[in-house]
Amino acid sequence: MELEDKKQHILQLLSSLKKEEQKSLLKEIKQNLHQNNEEKNFIFDISDLKLILDKFPFPIVLSDIQDNNLYVNSLFEEKTGYNLQDIATRADWERRAYPNEQKREKLKLKLKKTENGLTTPHFNFFTGKSGQILHFFFQSIPITDQLTMTICEDASDKYHSDDYLKKTKERFQEIAEFFPFPIVVTDEKGKFKYVNPIFTQDLGYTIEDFPDNRAWSLQVYPDIEYRNQILLETRQPGYDPYGAHERIITCKNGEKKTMIFQNISIGKEDFTFLQDITAQRKIEKEAQKQELAYREIVENSRDMIFLVDSNILMQKINPVVTELLGFTEEEVINHPAFEFIVEDFHSLVKQNIQAKQEKKQDRTLYEMDLKKKNGGTISVEVMSRLIYRENKFSGILVIARDIGYRKMITEERFRQQRIESIGLLAGGLAHDFNNILVSILGNIDLLQIENTNFTPDQKEIFHDLESATLHARDLAKQLLTFSKGGAPILKLESIEQLIRDSANFVLRGSNCKCVFDFQSNLPTTEFDFGQMNQVFNNLIINARQSMPKGGTINITVKKEHISAKSLIPLKKGEYIKIQIQDHGIGIPKEYQHKIFNPYFTTKPEGNGLGLTMSYSIIKKHAGHITFRSEKNYGTIFDIYLPITKDKKIISTSPSISKKINGRILVLDDDPKIHKFLQRVFSKFGYEMESCYDGAEIIGILNQNHAIGKDFDLVFMDLTIPGGIGGKIAVQQVHEIYPELKVIVFSGYSTDPILAQHKDYGFCDYLVKPFTLQQLKEKCEKWI
């Protein structure tokens, strides 16, 4: 059907229009309005609308969603006196039709409620253009999503008709009987006139239970405090009696229900509609509890939680974000997420988002670094998941866990494993190396003792050989530091005196000075003096070298308690903290994770063992060493050593009576050691016998005891490849000869036996390589 034909069709319908055909006509109009876009242009043509609507037997107003009135028909003008210019907008209509401002504001509240359903169509009275009070019924019909038609019926005559009111009440009661919500009707004095059946069914009360509003309040609000609260609310300025109000009422059987009350005034009677929302409020309450529980979890979580929108802008964060990153909430919300991610990880994050959107991944778990406000960074483990609403990507939920402490522990473990791996190799080399050095160093000493007629050049050669051998011994000691054989020999010593002596020695003649800050009454600690001296020498040398133009090194020593919150990988307890701070060039960031690695150095003359050795020594003292450094601001090393409660140093004194000579048994697997010691002991006036395996030592001791030639002293090497070493042999010896003195001597051990030699049955120890003077002193001490 062509547009013009449709117009003619509608006009023909209008020419024979009757009231009962209204619904049919409206349906016809709406069908024409929704055909297609081309036909919509037809209905929006005001000239065409005027032809149609002017023939309506009711006043008509046409308006849009912006509350502009587009058209009023001639019957509207006739009945109200207002033309389109008078009421061009809804505001114009309200101002003219309801000139009393208070009544107008009250009406707005009422109409706002009624537009949502309960009283459509609704009855109202207003002021016509002539000043006459008119009573109209209004029926609003949306005919498109942009256009509303309001049909009006003049009820001024009917309003005052007893017959009309009677029919209206009858019609209402008929509806109320089957209405699904409780309904109460009261007169202007508050007396109950009617309750519908569902009211009695839901609440248990009948009309006889409530002679008036006062009886109602006393029964449904038995709690006096709640009743007074409602009374106070109704007396507040601006209270709207025709608004929707929520109340908790008590049913006749004592059950409590939450209900919405909606009052409507028709004539001299008030109609109250009640809607039971008890189940809804219960669900909402449970939802609120659940939401509160989720909020508590989120707000108290130690993981950072971010909600990012589809444009990758931060939308919500939990409190720990500001705590860990240092930014305020305002500095984060609505800012791009990439502002807080270290640039090196941008491509990784983008790839993960893209992979998720392509459905290649649902959840992802990866590590990255976030920026802190102070310029630092924090390592986090990220779990993210995309959020979809109505199948459309709307954002990302991100949970980031601080793994700085975990990474530190992991790095410590890997570092220790690397050092232990090298230690296994270094210890084995040191064992063989020290045996060689014993022979070299000892024979050099023997040559110098046996022959005093060397030329000056020959003496210089011997001196150079001895110096080179001692330097090789020091290198072997460094290698032993990595091995389990380098366990510290702990003694109660003064840590303050050691630090002062080490600093003064290292800085002597330099352009650097040391400033000390020692806490008074420092508790005691046990440590290996020689090993700890190496640690402080290394650290102070590094501090001096970092300040080539000179400067101050600050050394602070104090007591510190380590707890679970300290983030230091040590057992809980009391420690001595030694802090060594320089103000030099600092350690470049790209090298900081390597400084404790064996053989890593940035110095042309360095061997890369100083800090590695220091790390290993502190570790073996059950302590910890860490650092922080910033370019051009210097470096701080922190050392933690466990505190030792005061105890007496127990030492085993040698026998008072000394023999001028004696018999010595040596257990060692190296024939060169035996040959060298045989020569040396004979010079000292001792008789020596050799044993190459601990399995043979008991037989040798028994044979000599049988002929009255007991040994005065036994030297045992701990390591006998393929045989029994000193650790087992000394136990076997003491089972038969408990008084026999046994000295352990070794260049390597897989157990910390040298440090705790008394616990294993040895009276003393001697570290290979040793000088003839050291060997002589041990013999004289115990024979």
Side-chain angles (χ1 to χ4, degrees), residues 98-154:
Y98 309 104
N100 184 288
E101 184 177 357
Q102 290 183 348
K103 289 185 178 180
R104 184 164 65 243
E105 293 303 317
K106 185 175 180 180
L107 177 69
K108 285 182 180 180
L109 290 172
K110 183 177 179 181
L111 291 178
K112 186 176 181 181
K113 300 296 181 183
T114 59
E115 284 174 355
N116 291 328
L118 282 177
T119 61
T120 301
H122 62 277
F123 174 83
N124 202 22
F125 60 90
F126 63 94
T127 303
K129 192 171 183 177
S130 64
Q132 181 184 3
I133 301 299
L134 303 174
H135 299 79
F136 271 38
F137 276 106
F138 296 89
Q139 170 75 64
S140 296
I141 303 173
I143 53 178
T144 72
D145 58 353
Q146 300 288 324
L147 200 62
T148 299
M149 182 167 63
T150 301
I151 301 173
C152 312
E153 181 182 359
D154 186 358

Side-chain angles (χ1 to χ4, degrees), residues 412-430 478-485 596-599 609 612 615-616 619-620 748 750:
E412 288 287 333
R413 188 183 300 116
F414 287 159
R415 184 181 294 123
Q416 185 63 24
Q417 288 174 351
R418 286 195 298 269
I419 291 174
E420 288 178 357
S421 297
I422 294 176
L424 292 175
L425 174 64
L429 291 174
Q478 286 186 324
L479 292 174
L480 279 171
T481 304
F482 304 140
S483 71
K484 294 181 181 178
F596 291 118
N597 290 356
Y599 307 114
L609 293 177
T612 312
Y615 176 90
S616 183
K619 193 77 173 177
K620 289 171 183 175
Y748 170 71
T750 57

Side-chain angles (χ1 to χ4, degrees), residues 271-295:
F271 295 79
T272 303
F273 295 82
L274 289 74
Q275 182 180 0
D276 187 354
I277 59 167
T278 307
Q280 178 184 338
R281 288 292 180 263
K282 184 177 181 181
I283 293 171
E284 290 174 356
K285 191 174 182 180
E286 291 298 323
Q288 287 174 356
K289 285 183 181 179
Q290 191 173 14
E291 182 182 353
L292 180 61
Y294 283 133
R295 186 182 296 116

Side-chain angles (χ1 to χ4, degrees), residues 393-523:
F393 170 59
S394 63
I396 308 173
L397 175 65
V398 180
I399 300 176
R401 173 167 295 177
D402 180 5
I403 57 171
Y405 180 70
R406 189 175 77 190
K407 287 187 72 174
M408 180 181 71
I409 296 297
T410 302
E411 289 173 1
E412 288 287 333
R413 188 183 300 116
F414 287 159
R415 184 181 294 123
Q416 185 63 24
Q417 288 174 351
R418 286 195 298 269
I419 291 174
E420 288 178 357
S421 297
I422 294 176
L424 292 175
L425 174 64
L429 291 174
H431 171 260
D432 295 335
F433 194 44
N434 281 329
N435 277 348
I436 296 171
L437 292 178
V438 167
S439 180
I440 294 174
L441 187 59
N443 283 306
I444 290 172
D445 286 345
L446 276 177
L447 284 173
Q448 294 181 90
I449 292 172
E450 291 178 348
N451 192 338
T452 59
N453 297 322
F454 291 117
T455 66
D457 287 342
Q458 289 173 329
K459 289 181 179 180
E460 185 176 351
I461 291 172
F462 276 114
H463 176 73
D464 290 344
L465 286 172
E466 187 174 15
S467 296
T469 306
L470 291 175
H471 180 70
R473 181 191 64 183
D474 293 338
L475 181 60
K477 283 184 178 180
Q478 286 186 324
L479 292 174
L480 279 171
T481 304
F482 304 140
S483 71
K484 294 181 181 178
I489 301 173
L490 302 177
K491 292 182 181 179
L492 284 172
E493 303 278 3
S494 170
I495 194 72
E496 179 177 349
Q497 191 60 47
L498 171 61
I499 292 172
R500 289 184 183 274
D501 290 346
S502 179
N504 292 334
F505 175 77
V506 171
L507 300 180
R508 187 178 296 129
S510 71
N511 54 357
C512 295
K513 67 175 183 177
C514 222
V515 176
F516 301 101
D517 181 11
F518 289 92
Q519 179 180 318
S520 59
N521 299 320
L522 274 173

Side-chain angles (χ1 to χ4, degrees), residues 561-585:
H561 177 75
I562 298 297
S563 66
K565 297 181 180 179
S566 302
L567 299 181
I568 302 294
L570 290 171
K571 295 179 179 179
K572 298 178 184 178
E574 305 299 324
Y575 291 79
I576 289 179
K577 179 181 179 181
I578 303 140
Q579 187 175 90
I580 302 176
Q581 179 181 12
D582 66 61
H583 304 278
I585 58 176

Side-chain angles (χ1 to χ4, degrees), residues 354-382:
Q354 183 178 356
K356 282 174 170 289
Q357 290 177 327
E358 293 174 356
K359 304 296 184 182
K360 293 179 180 177
Q361 297 170 310
D362 180 25
R363 299 178 184 178
T364 52
L365 184 67
Y366 54 93
E367 294 181 11
M368 67 178 182
D369 291 347
L370 298 180
K371 298 177 183 178
K372 299 175 71 173
K373 188 174 182 178
N374 62 7
T377 61
I378 181 172
S379 296
V380 295
E381 182 180 72
V382 174

Side-chain angles (χ1 to χ4, degrees), residues 208-220:
E208 288 77 15
D209 293 316
F210 304 120
D212 52 30
N213 275 331
R214 185 174 181 277
W216 161 267
S217 295
L218 290 174
Q219 292 192 61
V220 300

